[in-house]
């Protein structure tokens, strides 16, 4: 894993002058195509609706209406949405990553009959479209009165994510078994090994897993759409999706201000953890 | 980065008489118990239930009444089923090849020896993490027929009246594809990682033989990364067939049902119309489609995908 980004593998070598110009032109063209929408979102979020409608091509705002951001909070339960999403995401991520690590450790470290078979089942559940189990799950949670609460969104997630189990198991297989033996000699059991050795050593892998899970939970719309009815329970995704319902004409400046605030937490997290994140995607994408 | 397969330890014959092995087995079950419980309650159980419901007429209120194959018979004479299948297939047929080609292209650019590599990698990757409702709104705004920047630009600069994008039946699917293209970052990163593991010697030998850059790409790079291409194609097909959020936020399945994607239809059947039996049948057809397409991708590619380098 650690030698992925160093220079010992194939690299195309020095580019010719023409090649260099071509490469940079390509990169800059793509970069502007990728960055433009995000910049557009930000600048729209501080314009007035008048300016947006009368001069659709102005890139920079003539006046900076930071009050748009305030208005989102004043006229909408935006703070509630933000709070709901935040605690729900954090609880789910911590639970999912911890239990996935435990399960992954089980698959990576112990010899047991049926182990290979069970792991094949874990992998095959990644292929199963969520929609197949969605309806019976809904009926189940409906019959035990969990609908319109966060329980259906958190409990199944916390029971382990196939993708994260796979990702973390790959990492654990790379850890030397001698570490376990050292603990065993000192009289520690498997739980000591897991908590004192494996968890601290796998912090980078766990960070990757946490970010992947975070992005998924933060952006998920279908789950909340199915299970939540009361507006005071809405997460950001659902609150945003219903944002325009109260207006005759779309208030684009408010919509963009809300959107900026919705993408800011994932972007910030990605900025600080991108090294782990990219590595994690790489491991899961190229192994197995 | 050698491929880790199933743990070698498990291949050794187990001595179940030994205390150590039995203890290990006990801990194995203990550690995987959350998955075991979760799998039974939230996946295996629901799968069996879903299969049963697909043969019933069930509206939450009241009992599920067994109707045999009636749901499937109805499905195959349902024009909306064919429409949803058509628009989803059309979307996948455009989104998969375009995003794979763009992802390979970007990965090649990022693999070149250039300044600011880390910077470019970060910025190409970032858009793929901010998917969801906010990005759907962003694109709805950019492609807005009246005030959106794209059409305003076309009008002001070229005097052209741009299309309605999401509001025109003919451009709505391409608009979804266009939007999806900015999210190729995760596919790109996987290609980049595989490019970095290619053996240097082959390229040096080819360069000595006077092979052009295009020939080296065509005859060395593509065959060597073919397993990764296949992996990404399969992942993209599965994701494309499950497109939902964008359609829910931007078009509500319109205009003229031209973005009435399969999962959107399934969702409406189940949660707006409360037809749980019919929706279960739809879900199993989706499962079948994804299964067949994955199998097909593996089958078609068996002659063109090279695994030799791994061995």
């Amino acid at each position: 894993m650690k030698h992925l980004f160093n220079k010992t593998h194939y690299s195309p070598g020095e580019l010719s002058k023409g090649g260099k110009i071509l490469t940079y032109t390509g990169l800059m063209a793509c970069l502007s195509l990728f960055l433009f929408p995000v910049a557009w979102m930000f600048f729209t979020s501080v314009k007035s609706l008048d300016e947006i409608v009368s001069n659709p091509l102005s890139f920079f705002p003539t006046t900076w209406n930071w009050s748009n951001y305030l208005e989102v909070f004043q006229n909408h339960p935006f703070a509630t949405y933000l709070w709901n999403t935040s605690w729900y995401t954090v609880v789910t991520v911590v639970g999912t990553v911890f239990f996935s690590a435990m399960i992954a450790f089980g698959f990576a470290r112990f010899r047991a009959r049926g182990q290979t078979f069970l792991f094949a089942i874990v992998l095959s559940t990644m292929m199963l479209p969520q929609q197949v189990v969605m309806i019976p799950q809904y009926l189940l949670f409906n019959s035990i009165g969990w609908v319109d609460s966060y329980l259906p969104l958190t409990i199944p997630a916390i029971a382990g994510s196939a993708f994260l189990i796979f990702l973390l198991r790959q990492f654990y297989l790379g850890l030397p078994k001698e570490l376990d033996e050292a603990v065993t000699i000192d009289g520690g059991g498997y739980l000591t090994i897991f908590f004192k050795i494996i968890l601290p050593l796998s912090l980078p892998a766990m960070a990757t897993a946490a970010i992947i899970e975070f992005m998924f939970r933060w952006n998920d719309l279908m789950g909340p759409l199915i299970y939540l009815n009361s507006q005071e329970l809405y997460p950001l995704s659902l609150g945003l999706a219903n944002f325009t319902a109260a207006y005759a004409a779309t208030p684009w400046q408010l919509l963009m201000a809300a959107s900026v605030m919705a993408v800011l937490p994932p972007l910030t997290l990605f900025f600080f953890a991108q090294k782990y994140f990219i590595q994690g995607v790489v491991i899961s994408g190229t192994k197995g | 980065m050698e491929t880790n397969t199933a743990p070698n330890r498990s291949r050794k014959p187990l001595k179940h008489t030994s205390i150590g092995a039995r203890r290990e087995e006990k801990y194995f079950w203990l550690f995987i118990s959350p998955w075991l419980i979760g799998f039974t309650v939230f996946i295996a159980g629901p799968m069996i239930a879903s299969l049963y419901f697909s043969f019933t007429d069930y509206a939450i209120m009241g009992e599920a009444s067994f109707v045999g194959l009636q749901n499937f018979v109805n499905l195959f004479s349902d024009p909306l089923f064919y429409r949803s299948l058509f628009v989803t297939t059309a979307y996948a047929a455009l989104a998969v090849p375009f995003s794979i080609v763009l992802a390979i292209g970007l990965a090649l650019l990022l693999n070149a020896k250039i300044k600011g590599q880390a910077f470019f990698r970060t910025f190409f990757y970032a858009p793929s993490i901010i998917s969801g409702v906010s990005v759907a709104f962003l694109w709805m705004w950019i492609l807005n027929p009246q005030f959106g920047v794209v059409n305003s630009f076309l009008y002001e600069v070229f005097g052209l009246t741009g299309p309605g994008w999401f509001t025109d039946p003919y451009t709505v699917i391409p608009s979804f594809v266009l939007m999806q293209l900015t999210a190729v970052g995760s596919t790109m990163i996987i290609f980049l990682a595989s490019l970095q593991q290619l053996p240097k010697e082959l390229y040096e030998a080819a360069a000595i033989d006077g092979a052009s850059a295009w020939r080296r790409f065509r005859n060395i790079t593509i065959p060597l990364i073919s397993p990764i291409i296949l992996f990404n194609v399969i992942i993209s097909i599965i994701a494309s067939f499950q497109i939902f959020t964008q359609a829910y936020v931007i078009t509500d399945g319109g205009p003229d049902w031209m973005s009435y994607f399969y999962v959107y239809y399934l969702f409406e059947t189940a949660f707006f119309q409360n037809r749980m039996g019919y929706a279960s049948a739809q879900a199993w057809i989706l499962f079948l489609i994804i299964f067949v397409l994955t199998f097909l991708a593996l089958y078609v590619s068996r002659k063109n995908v090279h695994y030799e380098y791994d061995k």
Side-chain angles (χ1 to χ4, degrees), chain A residues 9-10 24 111 137 274 286, chain B residues 1 24 42 115 196 198:
Chain A
H9 288 283
Y10 163 71
Y24 276 111
R111 283 177 294 176
Q137 275 190 19
Q274 46 157 314
T286 55
Chain B
M1 204 173 101
E24 256 192 52
F42 301 122
K115 286 203 183 78
Q196 296 190 334
L198 301 181

Side-chain angles (χ1 to χ4, degrees), chain B residues 157-175:
Chain B
V157 178
F158 299 107
L160 297 169
T161 310
W165 301 104
F166 289 116
T167 58
D168 181 327
Y170 292 101
T171 52
V172 60
I173 292 174
S175 302

Side-chain angles (χ1 to χ4, degrees), chain B residues 164-287:
Chain B
W165 301 104
F166 289 116
T167 58
D168 181 327
Y170 292 101
T171 52
V172 60
I173 292 174
S175 302
F176 278 113
V177 174
L178 193 70
M179 179 179 152
Q180 184 55 34
L181 287 183
T182 54
V184 296
S186 48
T187 316
M188 171 203 82
I189 286 290
I190 296 170
F191 278 125
L192 181 60
S194 61
L195 285 179
Q196 296 190 334
Q197 292 169 66
L198 301 181
K200 213 174 179 171
E201 305 78 38
L202 278 176
Y203 288 89
E204 285 165 354
I208 291 167
D209 290 345
S212 67
W214 169 250
R215 277 196 64 109
R216 290 195 299 256
F217 172 69
R218 178 79 192 67
N219 296 336
I220 305 176
T221 310
I222 289 291
L224 285 180
I225 63 168
S226 53
I228 306 295
I229 298 179
L230 177 64
F231 171 85
N232 279 329
V233 165
I234 291 175
I235 296 287
S236 310
I237 291 176
I238 294 178
S240 297
F241 267 83
Q242 298 189 66
I243 177 173
F244 172 80
T245 300
Q246 299 91 314
Y248 178 86
V249 174
I250 302 178
T251 57
D252 278 334
D256 193 25
W257 311 93
M258 276 309 271
S259 65
Y260 203 61
F261 292 113
Y262 195 91
V263 171
Y264 189 84
Y265 184 27
L266 197 164
F267 178 85
E268 280 205 339
T269 314
F271 299 103
F272 287 169
Q273 307 173 4
N274 277 344
R275 296 162 72 196
M276 295 297 176
Y278 200 59
S280 297
Q282 286 177 310
W284 278 95
I285 297 284
L286 176 68
F287 185 29

